[in-house]
Amino acid sequence: MSLTRWFGLVGCFALILGCSGDNGGGDTKFISLGTAPVGGAFNQVGTEIAEALNKSEGEKDWKVQSQTTKGSQENIRKLSSGDIQLALSNSAITYFAVRGEGGFKQKHNTRAVATIAPNVAMFITKADSGIETMQDLKGKTVVCGPAGAGFEMFLEPILKAHGLTFDDFNAKNAGQSDAVELIADNSADAAFLGGAVPTAAISQACSTHDIHFIPYDQAAMESLIDEFPFFQEVTIPQKVYSDLKGDFKSMNTGSMHFVTSADQSEEFIYAITKALWENRKNINHPASKFINEENAARYTGTDFHPGAVKYYKEIGIWQGEDDSTEEPAAEEEPADAETESK
């Protein structure tokens, strides 16, 4: 055997030994946590959750590594295929994924671990655009989020509740900062923007133009909240955005939530849930404040994993009536074609 080949084999063997890890006498399980593209809240929060889980005290046989992905839709498919074990997702997108609806061609066995921060989104326009209500969007050019982001999963129901469809206006795709620029140079009449409050792009728009916040119809909001568990009414205080004329009623259009696959063991997800809860104050992003007694176990349309249910019952914050007893649906090789996002 040549020296080059011999050293190559030794290097490979050393790499295998190094990756096996050891923690308390057992092999370390390397766990991937899917996030989203760099620059957004999902990527930052996911990275900090991974770090917090790894710093948790007590015995554990896992090490969590955050993984940059295209976002919610890709994360759900990767959970189904076993490429990742944990992920962040928008609860509206997960809602349709577990039902095989909204563009998903099959049901995905995704389960919730914790509900995190609300995604508060709304339509904005320049004050002199002539657009006052949702119905005034007809015939206009409207930015509806980045291509492939999955925004249509919560936008379609919102439009439908207001008697609109995507065919009623010219829909453009763009990220949040780009959407503000399109409004600024009159290449778009309105944009659907949102996220954590305050959203930087909305603050940016208010700092450069007089902005009108297009209100949702109260009856439409109530019907959406009744029909879909991921919608919630949210009031934005006037002080949040400089162009608000008063407190503004908007909606949480799908919370950021922490998810996994139904195939993960109860013991493992119990340990992960416990570590997340006990180390939530080590997550520096403002979203961490929503990992609390009122919100963490809140149902948004996706069943919680039994391991999470067990822990939430143990600490007395479980909000459901019974554990989920539904058998996971049989899955084929993931075949969804979406590209993403969030």
Side-chain angles (χ1 to χ4, degrees), residues 49 91 111-118 232 252 255-259 272-274 276-278 280 283 287-305 307-309 311-313 315-320:
I49 286 176
S91 61
R111 295 292 181 267
V113 177
T115 303
I116 308 182
Q232 280 185 303
N252 173 8
S255 294
M256 173 195 301
H257 67 164
F258 191 36
V259 295
I272 287 290
T273 309
K274 184 175 189 290
L276 175 68
W277 181 261
E278 293 180 346
R280 63 194 187 279
I283 302 168
S288 65
K289 70 181 180 181
F290 293 98
I291 308 174
N292 58 40
E293 289 80 357
E294 292 77 29
N295 193 62
R298 182 171 59 82
Y299 178 72
T300 60
T302 299
D303 287 343
F304 278 81
H305 192 284
V309 173
Y311 183 70
Y312 291 140
K313 284 188 170 184
I315 63 174
I317 69 167
W318 176 240
Q319 299 179 20

Side-chain angles (χ1 to χ4, degrees), residues 87-123:
L88 291 180
S89 179
N90 178 287
S91 61
I93 294 175
T94 314
Y95 173 92
F96 291 109
V98 298
R99 290 161 177 79
E101 300 172 356
F104 287 96
K105 297 178 176 64
Q106 63 187 61
K107 294 180 180 179
H108 288 264
N109 290 329
T110 312
R111 295 292 181 267
V113 177
T115 303
I116 308 182
N119 173 45
V120 180
M122 71 211 83
F123 290 91

Side-chain angles (χ1 to χ4, degrees), residues 62 123 152 188 190-191 199 233 237 266 276-277 286 312:
W62 35 261
F123 290 91
E152 67 277 1
T199 297
E233 187 172 318
E266 181 176 324
L276 175 68
W277 181 261
Y312 291 140

